[in-house]
Amino acid sequence: MPARRSAAPRFVIQQHDATTLHYDFRLEVDGALRSWAVPKGPSTDPRVKRLAVEVEDHALAYADFEGVIGEGGHGSGAVIVWDAGTYRNLDDERSMAEALAAGHAKFWLEGSKLSGGWTLQRTRGGAKPQWLLIKRRDERADARRNPQSTQPESVKSGRTLDEVAREAAR
Ligand code: MN
């Protein structure tokens, strides 16, 4: 397959039933998936700041993964592709990598469930940097939505996390 040089970078949000249920928010940056574990998932309400704990990068191919991660490991459990699409950097001055290194990135998502501007703001560095993921105030903001509860299914297969776990257990 030819390189899609002009394609917009991807984002994916995988719901993951590991030790604790969380959403893995991933942005394609320079050929890898920069990743954050967001316990409650993103909010579409700009007044709500969601904790996002930076975790290790994942390979780009992992963006399509849906299934059950095998027993034993710290990340074992069912995974669905809860939302996916493309994004663009809203920072005119800096690349995404530069913005993330500086601890403040702003970007526009075009997903199936989530769209509009979002901010990632680092609040604590160290071994496990903590960030806040916040909806920006724009026409896509909506304080009344709660997509985690009203749209729980995979955008890839239509299955819920429980259905994926049950099918794998058969
Ligand atoms: Mn995870």
Side-chain angles (χ1 to χ4, degrees), residues 2-67:
R4 295 180 305 160
R5 226 183 301 264
S6 61
R10 300 170 69 186
F11 86 92
V12 64
I13 302 171
Q14 285 157 314
Q15 190 186 18
H16 183 192
D17 190 12
T19 315
T20 55
L21 186 66
H22 61 276
Y23 295 79
D24 288 301
F25 181 74
R26 308 188 197 278
L27 296 171
E28 176 185 357
V29 180
D30 299 339
L33 293 171
R34 299 289 299 268
S35 300
W36 293 261
V38 184
K40 293 182 177 175
S43 172
T44 56
D45 181 348
R47 295 169 303 184
V48 175
K49 300 173 166 71
R50 289 281 158 88
L51 172 69
V53 180
E54 188 174 340
V55 295
E56 69 280 6
D57 292 359
H58 278 54
L60 266 190
Y62 192 74
D64 297 314
F65 177 78
E66 183 166 293

